[in-house]
Amino acid sequence: MSALTTPQISPARWLRLRLSRSPSLTTGAAIILIVLFMAIFAPWLAPYDPTLQETANRLMAPSQQHWLGTDAFGRDILSRLIYGARPTLLLVLFVVLLMAPVGITIGILAGYLGGFVERSLMRITDIVMSFPRLLLAFAFVAIMGPGLLNGALALALTSWPAYARQARAETAKLAKSDYLAAAEMVGIKGPRLLFGHVLPLVLPSAVIRLALDLSGIILAAAGLGFLGLGVRPPTAEWGSMVADGTQVIFDQWWIAATPGFAILITSFGFNLLADGLRDLMDPRND
């Protein structure tokens, strides 16, 4: 009698099948990869020096020489747009490395330990959440001074509570499960239990939330640049480019519209990526 066998699917084929079922994931990933490619290879893609000022060519309309025109200092907008992806993505990277680990760690500790530790950590989380995130970030940057790292630190310090609350709720359910009880019975305790067994189960939902929050982080970073609290001039940055364009928006609208469109497309790409990751990690789609 022959045994029934289940056909095995290779990880690569499984991923291709999932991607084919999630056009939003494919589209979002493509947009983010294009922006990332643009930021990495900016010195080779940009036709001009992004900080080069040519007052004789100021406020030029789009032409064959300057595809997207020039700003009030005669700088090529296309070159500044390409280079402007760098500080935006760097700030996003810094925020991700600071925000998600802090929030997830606090949530796991609160959900697993419970009692006084949980109440204390969650009250601190509630206090931070009670402040408007963007206004609190502006206050931090105003105190610490403008700059890429200070902006990332300000956004990270005001964005972690959502991850803490989500991780705490999931960990509290896992703490009563047979899975963790069995792990403790074989001697797995302490950090090894929390970060070796609880963290992998909490991480998927945190990754989805993180991908969705990245669009908001980009908008917040652009807001800091718009108010002059981001990277220092003359460094190209999308938010500061929009601010420069608002002074002549009725006559030379493309100066503000071009970086604004870049912010819109990048945020849209992260939203599509988050939606696709939700479909990819949802076990009901197996």
Side-chain angles (χ1 to χ4, degrees):
M1 183 172 62
S2 61
L4 295 175
T5 58
T6 303
Q8 299 294 325
I9 301 178
S10 65
R13 185 181 178 187
W14 176 85
L15 183 60
R16 286 196 300 269
L17 290 174
R18 282 299 185 87
L19 290 177
S20 63
R21 297 177 185 176
S22 180
S24 60
L25 177 61
T26 306
T27 306
I31 293 174
I32 301 306
L33 287 176
I34 291 173
V35 176
L36 185 61
F37 177 84
M38 186 171 63
I40 294 174
F41 296 99
W44 295 274
L45 295 176
Y48 298 94
D49 184 346
T51 61
L52 178 63
Q53 299 184 14
E54 296 180 348
T55 54
N57 297 328
R58 63 187 301 269
L59 301 177
M60 288 182 59
S63 63
Q64 292 183 352
Q65 184 180 3
H66 299 280
W67 289 3
L68 297 179
T70 60
D71 63 7
F73 296 96
R75 297 173 297 193
D76 182 65
I77 294 178
L78 177 59
S79 300
R80 292 183 61 79
L81 188 73
I82 294 174
Y83 271 91
R86 287 185 160 188
T88 300
L89 293 182
L90 279 176
L91 188 142
V92 168
L93 178 62
F94 288 155
V95 172
V96 168
L97 294 178
L98 293 171
M99 171 184 65
V102 170
I104 293 174
T105 301
I106 291 176
I108 290 177
L109 291 175
Y112 183 77
L113 297 177
F116 176 76
V117 175
E118 179 184 15
R119 290 193 296 271
S120 301
L121 292 177
M122 287 300 99
R123 295 299 77 77
I124 295 174
T125 302
D126 292 339
I127 292 172
V128 177
M129 289 189 71
S130 65
F131 290 96
R133 187 178 72 173
L134 197 56
L135 292 179
L136 192 59
F138 288 160
F140 274 122
V141 174
I143 294 173
M144 297 183 295
L148 181 66
L149 187 59
N150 289 343
L153 183 61
L155 292 176
L157 290 176
T158 57
S159 302
W160 61 265
Y163 297 87
R165 295 192 67 85
Q166 181 175 332
R168 175 257 173 194
E170 296 183 0
T171 304
K173 294 180 180 179
L174 291 172
K176 303 176 183 178
S177 65
D178 296 336
Y179 171 72
L180 291 189
E184 292 176 347
M185 288 179 61
V186 298
I188 301 176
K189 297 181 180 180
R192 184 184 173 191
L193 176 67
L194 295 180
F195 299 103
H197 291 73
V198 176
L199 179 61
L201 298 177
V202 173
L203 203 55
S205 58
V207 169
I208 296 172
R209 172 179 283 274
L210 180 61
L212 190 60
D213 283 350
L214 288 179
S215 60
I217 293 172
I218 289 177
L219 294 175
L224 291 175
F226 184 85
L227 296 176
L229 300 176
V231 297
R232 299 179 183 273
T235 303
E237 195 272 331
W238 291 343
S240 61
M241 291 175 64
V242 174
D244 294 339
T246 56
Q247 301 176 11
V248 292
I249 194 170
F250 294 106
D251 297 321
Q252 289 84 22
W253 56 267
W254 58 86
I255 298 177
T258 303
F261 184 73
I263 296 170
L264 171 65
I265 290 297
T266 306
S267 301
F268 182 62
F270 278 116
N271 281 332
L272 290 177
L273 183 65
D275 186 67
L277 286 174
R278 182 194 61 193
D279 296 337
L280 184 66
M281 295 182 176
D282 192 345
R284 292 173 295 181
N285 291 333
D286 290 331

